Amino acid sequence: MKRYISRITNWPTPFPFRNLNFFMVDKERNFGSKPTKEPINNEEGNQISDMLIDGFGRKHTYLRLSLTERCNLRCQYCMPAEGVDLTPSPKLLTHNEILRLANLFVTSGVDKIRLTGGEPTVRKDIHDICSDLSSLKGLKTLAITTNGITLAKKLPMLKQCGITNLNISLDTLVPSKFEFMTRRKGHHKVIESINAAIDVGYNPVKVNCVVMRGFNDDEICDFVNLTVDKPINVRFIEFMPFDGNVWNVKKLIPYSEMLDTVVRQRNFRP
């Protein structure tokens, strides 16, 4: 978090204050920013702070907030089987700190927030966080990215609390492959969550699929078929290297190859 704050404020590191709480509570100061000659607005006409505009003039109005490091899956490309060392609770952002930080960004011009993790739905106060974030004046979109394991039963309340956009991660339509990749059972729960999202009115429901050669590349067109009769958008994602995920370029399938596969089999469904 400090690294990103440094990048948008141009503050030197180490910071000239003890902790992030100093930064979050003092909303009246304008540390390190340089006023622009003319105010810049986002699509809704709200003024954007020059701290959210980079050297190329791009407006960064989309904020991702990680609510937890915890996850109820152990996907091989993401986390080791034994899990990871968790940050001590006192060093994690509290509910109030998340709200204060989000409010700072929204009042500066951010109009979209995405909640991520770990797995954000395992956080016990997820409903309260969503309710408070969705009430921020100027916020247009409150999205969440989830693995879908516990989503179905929480979804009606999450929608009521203001979640407007939904991304559900699913890398295979084959239950045995799912168990192999995630080191956990629960494929049927993810499918249930996708259908539940459609039932409560999300349109589209976005499904994130990490494509890996030799694992699920033979399912690309099966995933595309999901979009024919249901309001589902499939987002194919390249396999990316992370510490400890044993990344291998031979497993990588570039997006151009994925697209060629779909185009080549454009009659994939009778």
Side-chain angles (χ1 to χ4, degrees):
M1 179 60 71
K2 290 182 178 181
R3 175 166 52 114
Y4 295 115
I5 292 174
S6 177
R7 287 168 63 181
I8 68 170
T9 60
N10 292 321
W11 282 333
T13 53
F15 293 148
F17 48 84
R18 292 187 300 274
N19 54 50
L20 291 181
N21 289 340
F22 178 90
F23 167 65
M24 290 186 283
V25 299
D26 200 338
K27 300 176 183 177
E28 300 303 322
R29 301 186 185 182
N30 192 20
F31 294 103
S33 63
K34 299 178 181 179
T36 55
K37 295 182 180 180
E38 297 180 0
I40 300 178
N41 299 332
N42 60 14
E43 294 180 357
E44 288 72 29
N46 298 324
Q47 187 169 334
I48 299 176
S49 168
D50 59 316
M51 291 192 298
L52 298 181
I53 303 172
D54 65 20
F56 296 95
R58 295 173 296 190
K59 296 172 287 187
H60 297 274
T61 59
Y62 175 15
L63 175 68
R64 297 173 67 95
L65 285 175
S66 176
L67 298 185
T68 179
E69 298 170 309
R70 298 180 182 277
C71 188
N72 43 14
L73 296 180
R74 293 292 182 270
C75 297
Q76 294 189 31
Y77 58 76
C78 180
M79 186 181 293
E82 65 277 9
V84 296
D85 293 332
L86 298 175
T87 302
S89 295
K91 294 187 177 182
L92 298 177
L93 289 175
T94 65
H95 179 148
N96 288 336
E97 288 171 338
I98 289 173
L99 185 61
R100 289 155 61 192
L101 181 60
N103 183 62
L104 176 64
F105 276 92
V106 171
T107 55
S108 296
V110 164
D111 56 18
K112 178 178 180 179
I113 291 178
R114 176 172 299 279
L115 304 178
T116 67
E119 171 50 38
T121 62
V122 304
R123 181 150 175 160
K124 294 181 179 179
D125 56 351
I126 179 67
H127 294 117
D128 293 334
I129 291 174
C130 291
S131 181
D132 288 340
L133 289 177
S134 65
S135 67
L136 293 176
K137 184 179 180 180
L139 186 67
K140 304 299 181 182
T141 302
L142 182 60
I144 189 170
T145 297
T146 168
N147 60 31
I149 293 294
T150 65
L151 180 65
K153 61 182 180 181
K154 297 183 179 183
L155 191 53
M157 183 61 71
L158 286 173
K159 185 175 177 64
Q160 184 177 335
C161 290
I163 291 294
T164 59
N165 293 55
L166 194 63
N167 287 50
I168 301 175
S169 298
L170 180 64
D171 298 325
T172 178
L173 299 175
V174 181
S176 59
K177 284 186 180 181
F178 178 90
E179 187 173 345
F180 169 77
M181 175 55 62
T182 66
R183 304 185 178 99
R184 297 289 188 275
K185 296 181 182 295
H187 182 269
H188 66 286
K189 294 182 179 179
V190 184
I191 298 298
E192 180 184 354
S193 292
I194 293 174
N195 291 327
I198 295 172
D199 291 341
V200 299
Y202 284 98
N203 185 0
V205 176
K206 295 180 180 179
V207 174
N208 293 347
C209 175
V210 177
V211 182
M212 290 161 283
R213 194 180 307 279
F215 173 68
N216 60 354
D217 52 321
D218 60 333
E219 298 183 63
I220 291 177
C221 289
D222 293 332
F223 271 97
V224 173
N225 271 332
L226 294 177
T227 71
V228 176
D229 297 321
K230 296 181 178 181
I232 295 175
N233 282 2
V234 176
R235 299 153 58 88
F236 294 118
I237 302 172
E238 293 180 353
F239 179 41
M240 300 296 292
F242 296 101
D243 290 342
N245 74 343
V246 195
W247 185 85
N248 189 320
V249 69
K250 294 182 179 179
K251 296 181 182 179
L252 170 67
I253 300 182
Y255 82 92
S256 55
E257 184 177 335
M258 300 180 206
L259 182 60
D260 287 344
T261 297
V262 176
V263 171
R264 188 172 59 252
Q265 302 182 38
R266 57 187 306 172
N267 60 341
F268 50 85
R269 178 171 180 170

